[in-house]
Amino acid sequence: MNHPVALISRTAFGLGMFVWAILCAGCAQRATSEGPGALAAPDFEARPTNLKSVPFQGISLPVADQGPRNYAGAVVSGFDHNPIGASLAAIHATVRISVAADSQWVTIAQQMLAPGLGRDAWAVARAQISVTGPATADGLTIAGYRIVSYIPAAADIDIYAVQADRSITRNRANVVWQRGDWKLLLLTQPQSSPVTTVAALPDELIALPRQ
């Protein structure tokens, strides 16, 4: 099997969506203490600065002043501890674990996913399939994102993608702040599929460059 594990693409549902249906990040598991400075209202409308894009397995991903700043093979890190950094981290982690090749996914999971039963279950399921090529055949582009909720400990991000047939999908991702960076949180029992088809991009979308 050489199709990506689908988290954001309808065209690779099959086994990929079966894997994600039992593992995907849902609503944030909120911390009870938000720490110093938590009373400051986060700016959900702030845009990434010096925005550009870099390819990973055939999909363009955003890079900005807010992150990522560190690259180690297929793994990226160094995202700002704010809503923009959380959003960029959510996009990178979600796409990278979706389309990572067999030689890449273990390291990505270890360094970009939050430890827990969800990550462990995802790794077991991912080990049962093989991804050997890029996702260029899907014609998928990341259109942008919307911040659903944010606290310094966790954030919910909606990621919008345009498919090859011009339909639009929305993927709900959750990231948590751990060990000085944002990590994608996978839940073992999500209440619903994270990927849904929507009629149009939202007005409050923070658009990203497309290639």
Side-chain angles (χ1 to χ4, degrees), residues 14-210:
L15 180 58
M17 278 310 300
F18 168 75
V19 170
W20 191 242
I22 62 172
L23 301 173
C24 174
C27 296
Q29 294 179 342
R30 301 305 187 196
T32 57
S33 174
E34 300 181 12
L39 294 179
D43 185 359
F44 287 8
E45 298 182 359
R47 262 55 177 175
T49 54
N50 291 324
L51 189 62
K52 59 183 180 180
S53 63
V54 296
F56 179 75
Q57 286 286 85
I59 297 178
S60 294
L61 297 177
V63 175
D65 291 335
Q66 294 78 17
R69 285 181 287 273
N70 307 316
Y71 297 81
V75 173
V76 294
S77 60
F79 296 91
D80 281 2
H81 194 187
N82 58 32
I84 297 176
S87 301
L88 295 175
I91 294 168
H92 272 270
T94 300
V95 171
R96 287 172 186 271
I97 66 169
S98 298
V99 299
D102 295 343
S103 61
Q104 299 170 322
W105 70 264
V106 172
T107 304
I108 293 174
Q110 290 173 342
Q111 299 187 35
M112 299 187 70
L113 303 185
L117 295 177
R119 185 181 72 173
D120 295 345
W122 179 86
V124 170
R126 175 60 181 83
Q128 299 178 44
I129 65 174
S130 178
V131 177
T132 58
T136 50
D138 283 348
L140 175 78
T141 59
I142 306 299
Y145 67 88
R146 184 178 71 91
I147 302 168
V148 178
S149 63
Y150 176 88
I151 60 175
D156 288 324
I157 310 296
D158 278 347
I159 304 168
Y160 290 84
V162 178
Q163 308 294 324
D165 62 1
R166 311 309 299 170
S167 63
I168 301 169
T169 53
R170 179 186 62 208
N171 181 20
R172 175 67 55 83
N174 169 239
V175 290
V176 292
W177 185 259
Q178 293 182 351
R179 301 188 301 277
D181 215 344
W182 294 105
K183 310 292 182 182
L184 184 66
L185 176 65
L186 304 184
L187 302 184
T188 55
Q189 294 180 337
Q191 298 301 309
S192 60
S193 171
V195 182
T196 58
T197 301
V198 296
L201 297 171
D203 293 337
E204 63 272 30
L205 180 80
I206 298 180
L208 297 173
R210 303 190 210 178

